[in-house]
Amino acid sequence: MGEPSYIDWRFAATTGKKLHRGGPRLSAAEASDAVAELRDAACRAHDPVAQTAQLVTPDDIGAVRVVDRSAWVDVNIASLDGMIAPVVDKITAKRAAGPVARAITAKVSGGEVGGLMAFMSSKVLGQYDIAPGGTPSLLLVAPNIVQVERELDVDPHDFRLWVCLHEEAHRVQFTAVPWLREHVVSAARDLLVDMAPTPEEMATRVGEIAKRVPEAFKEGSMGLSDIFATPEQRTRMADLAAVMSLLEGHADVVMDDVGPQIVPSVETIRARFGDRRAGLGNIDKQLRRLMGLEAKMRQYRDGAAFVRGVQEKVGIDGFNVVWAAPGNLPTPAEIQRPQLWVERIHGSLFR
């Protein structure tokens, strides 16, 4: 993390770690056992997930990192820095502000990013960090997993393995498909750069954003990103969202197929986890909508329906053609109507 420019990343990390909520109470022995079991669960999940997905991964698939909330903040701040560095360059180009003004702006922006990371750090159970500019790794957030398994009153051993199934599915996707990581990073980064205002556009854009903030709270929105986008940019956002729907839905389908084989209490876990999502309070729902997390839930649902719909028509081998090249990825329309993808990729035989 370099000298402060538009965002002071060090301050963002410090703020995020100061503001995040404390995790569940754990003895040293309980914490050590949870970390060891999560590492083991990730390893146990790999072969069933890869075999069910029928994807071949290299021998070196990267690290499993079992982290606390502070470490999660550090990792995601670094990834965010790597993703949006070109965005910051565009926003700050030709800026005439002096060093004091730059430092103040950087601190304010860093504080805002840190606050966002603090909120998110208590929500995420795990993720595959594609680490733009860094080394990808599988992250498992131990205190969040322990907290949720206690809230749901489910078997902790089964729940930890169940969580790992979904995250391991993402690791299999990105390691078995060599072009996928760079494709996602490039698409997201290019879109962010295009959406970022130049210094000359900044004042006008701030006024527009202030008027459109209520749109971000509407049901079906993509969150804050909706209020920044032009119609052309929204089309590109929809294309990227279709890819994310594929990834999330495929991971859910694989997890659901593997779960009954190796997680004895999977039906109880699924039911209680679903009830927990449905029982979110209004304030939490609004925050999730604002930050695009509601859209992520739609991605799980729509993507899973797409994967199931395609596999019913052409089987897993036919579905896996989706990973052959970027041009085989589904469009937004195809995510909603899997038959369109089948016809485009496999031809009229399957009409």
Side-chain angles (χ1 to χ4, degrees):
M1 300 179 194
E3 291 301 315
S5 55
Y6 187 72
I7 301 173
D8 185 333
W9 294 108
R10 288 192 181 90
F11 186 66
T14 300
T15 302
K17 288 185 283 190
K18 283 183 177 178
L19 293 181
H20 74 66
R21 301 176 188 175
R25 291 182 176 274
L26 290 170
S27 68
E30 287 174 326
S32 178
D33 288 346
V35 169
E37 183 169 10
L38 284 168
R39 285 203 181 100
D40 178 68
C43 292
R44 289 170 55 204
H46 175 76
D47 285 351
V49 163
Q51 290 164 8
T52 298
Q54 295 184 20
L55 292 172
V56 178
T57 61
D59 292 337
D60 182 7
I61 56 173
V64 176
R65 300 181 62 184
V66 182
V67 298
D68 60 14
R69 291 172 180 174
S70 291
W72 183 89
V73 168
D74 279 333
V75 171
N76 279 271
I77 291 277
S79 288
L80 188 60
D81 185 8
M83 174 66 79
I84 70 171
V87 180
V88 173
D89 289 343
K90 179 180 177 181
I91 293 173
T92 58
K94 301 178 183 177
R95 187 174 54 189
V100 174
R102 287 200 300 272
I104 292 172
T105 299
K107 281 287 192 293
V108 171
S109 301
E112 292 170 346
V113 171
L116 172 64
M117 290 294 124
F119 175 82
M120 293 293 296
S121 69
S122 64
K123 307 297 180 184
V124 176
L125 301 183
Q127 73 183 85
Y128 183 70
D129 174 38
I130 60 176
T135 303
S137 61
L138 178 64
L139 300 180
L140 299 168
V141 191
N144 296 350
I145 293 171
V146 171
Q147 180 170 313
V148 173
E149 71 193 23
R150 289 178 176 180
E151 290 174 357
L152 299 181
D153 190 25
V154 293
D155 183 286
H157 310 294
D158 285 0
F159 185 73
R160 293 167 191 181
L161 180 56
W162 184 73
V163 169
C164 287
L165 293 179
H166 184 92
E167 305 311 331
E168 187 62 36
H170 285 312
R171 183 160 64 159
V172 166
Q173 291 165 350
F174 280 98
T175 55
V177 184
W179 54 264
L180 183 60
R181 174 175 172 249
E182 184 56 35
H183 177 80
V184 171
V185 170
S186 296
R189 184 180 279 152
D190 290 348
L191 178 59
L192 288 169
V193 170
D194 189 49
M195 292 172 65
T198 64
E200 293 79 13
E201 296 169 335
M202 184 67 77
T204 301
R205 188 71 64 88
V206 168
E208 292 174 356
I209 290 169
K211 293 177 184 177
R212 296 177 59 190
V213 162
E215 296 179 24
F217 289 96
K218 292 181 180 178
E219 186 172 357
S221 84
M222 293 291 291
L224 282 173
S225 58
D226 259 358
I227 68 177
F228 290 93
T230 66
E232 186 272 336
Q233 289 165 348
R234 291 189 186 207
T235 297
R236 291 167 61 190
M237 287 170 59
D239 291 339
L240 183 58
V243 177
M244 301 313 295
S245 290
L246 167 70
L247 298 177
E248 296 294 358
H250 179 251
D252 257 16
V253 167
V254 171
M255 176 177 71
D256 286 347
D257 287 349
V258 175
Q261 304 172 35
I262 62 175
V263 182
S265 60
V266 67
E267 294 302 328
T268 298
I269 291 171
R270 285 175 181 166
R272 293 183 185 177
F273 197 78
D275 290 344
R276 179 177 181 269
R277 281 179 177 171
L280 293 173
N282 187 58
I283 292 177
D284 198 57
K285 286 180 179 178
Q286 293 294 341
L287 283 171
R288 287 171 177 265
R289 184 170 296 168
L290 182 67
M291 296 165 60
L293 296 180
E294 188 177 81
K296 189 176 181 68
M297 295 299 103
R298 294 196 300 273
Q299 288 172 358
Y300 289 132
R301 182 187 65 240
D302 295 346
F306 169 80
V307 173
R308 292 288 189 204
V310 171
Q311 290 182 351
E312 286 172 6
K313 288 286 187 179
V314 297
I316 294 178
D317 286 342
F319 167 79
N320 278 349
V321 177
V322 78
W323 311 117
N328 288 12
L329 294 171
T331 66
E334 289 167 347
I335 284 289
Q336 300 300 322
R337 296 178 60 194
Q339 181 67 25
L340 296 178
W341 183 89
V342 172
E343 292 175 4
R344 178 170 68 88
I345 299 300
H346 291 282
S348 60
L349 177 65
F350 293 94
R351 288 178 183 170

